Amino acid sequence: MHQTGRFNARIPLIVKEPRSVAYNSGPAQLYEDALRRGEGRVSEGGALVVSTGSHTGRSPNDKFILRDQATEQTIWWDNNKAIAPEHFAVLKQDLLAAARDKHLYVQDLHAGADPAHRLSVRVICEYAWHALFIRHLLIRPGAEELAGFVPQLTIIDLPSFKADPKRHGVRSETVIACDLSHGLVLIGGTQYAGEMKKSVFTALNYMLPDKNVMPMHCSANVDAEGRSAVYFGLSGTGKTTLSAVPSRTLIGDDEHGWSSDGIFNFEGGCYAKVIRLSRKAEPYIHATTERWGTILENVVMDPESRKLDLDDGSLTENTRAAYPLNYIPNASATGRAAIPKTIVMLTADAFGVMPPVARLTPAQAVYHFLSGYTAKVAGTERGVTEPQATFSACFGAPFIPRHPSVYGVLLRDLIAQHSSACWLVNTGWTGGPHGTGHRMPIDVTRALLDAALSGALDRQPMRKDENFGFDVPLAVPGIDARLLTPRDTWDDAKAYDAQAQKLVQMFIQNFARFETFVGDEVRACAPAMSAAA
């Protein structure tokens, strides 16, 4: 077996005697290998442009957790699919056998900027660009740390492996199978690199609550005075865009932990959507698309000039850029910050009902956190071609293995302990639902966020929202007051009322599954049906 790079020989590689292995190769070597192997092409600006094939987003229906004695009582099985031990064992045997015929790339990395809570992750890849992707997205240990590296989680990513539904007890040829008891993830039948990233997040979501650490699907940033903020939200709601601003230091764009010492990034890179990315509105992120080292997934490029067309969604609406965090000029060097002063919950309301901003009480914050209302954005999951209203518990149901009440209790206690201010921000539609109205202007969202983060929004006159009972500003300097009252933006007020009551009913029906897990104060935060409804 040919070996290259640094590797701790005392820790055996789970794949027995593969054809050859490249250990902890750097970006330049991985770039070169990806091009030599025909895995990607270089754009005019130097980015590596790759295709993820038929899988242009995650495959949540093909993700499984090993159901064993340790996970039987700890996993939220209503939300997570189980794979039996006997099927997992055969899958592991077959995937490892397939890996023996491959040239493999191994990356030893960390997940978690706080050493007290980080996870050591070994990723074994079939593709050079997958190795570069995960090297960007996780935290890269120094040479001394690599010398004593012992993996706590191992991911084997083999796109060429096709699962057998009958033999392996899965749904299709695509599989993401997680053994959370022993720290092993098996990925096959998909070239979508995001499956590796989210498998790490799933493992952290399982492990950290036992340490009284809150794992969060959020971005985070901090101002010059050390006042940090976190932004919960699903893909497409604006986590990356709204947190990468010149006036604040970026902690991270997607996954964080909240411990007694503060917040910390799980990752060392960013994975930003770039469809129709604006150089003017999002200059920091746009600049990464023209930089050597960035990986661009499914971005359309002219084959001769190598010019990118970020507006072209013909391959997928889920075009992505993966790059190290330090590609953002004002990114944090430590990935850590103090206890958040502000909590923002982002929703992309496809119904056009929610106001652009609303102040939440602690109980309302827990209610909306457990509800996780947003819209699935086109391209994020296979089969989603336009925004669809959905409820994703904790703003990240596809990635949470435990019951949402576990995370809800953690959030409730942290808010109570630290008196963090809580806001709900709608980055979705106004003036009507998707297809009729228009997307909330980003400059309006940013202005309202700035006012919330500075405390200025608290000083504005408020009204009680007639549907949800939270406080909504009546007026904010520089903002069209009509936008603050969604009903006023609709041409047909009665149509708005009907749409609002439809959404209210959806909230009530969704939250019924959580009512036995929360107290009276949180239950009382449910929206109200009108007498006419």
Side-chain angles (χ1 to χ4, degrees), residues 8 30 91 106 196 230 245 248 346 351 429 477:
N8 182 359
L30 293 172
L91 175 66
V106 178
M196 294 184 290
V230 297
V245 292
R248 299 173 67 87
L346 300 169
F351 282 72
W429 281 259

Side-chain angles (χ1 to χ4, degrees), residues 206-228:
Y206 181 70
M207 296 167 53
L208 290 180
D210 284 341
K211 302 174 71 174
N212 205 34
V213 175
M214 171 76 173
M216 303 178 292
H217 187 214
C218 71
S219 60
N221 59 22
V222 61
D223 68 12
E225 284 73 45
R227 295 173 296 196
S228 68

Side-chain angles (χ1 to χ4, degrees), residues 296-310:
L296 296 176
E297 290 182 345
N298 304 311
V299 171
V300 173
M301 179 178 69
D302 185 278
E304 294 185 7
S305 69
R306 303 296 178 94
K307 290 183 180 293
L308 302 172
D309 186 351
L310 299 181

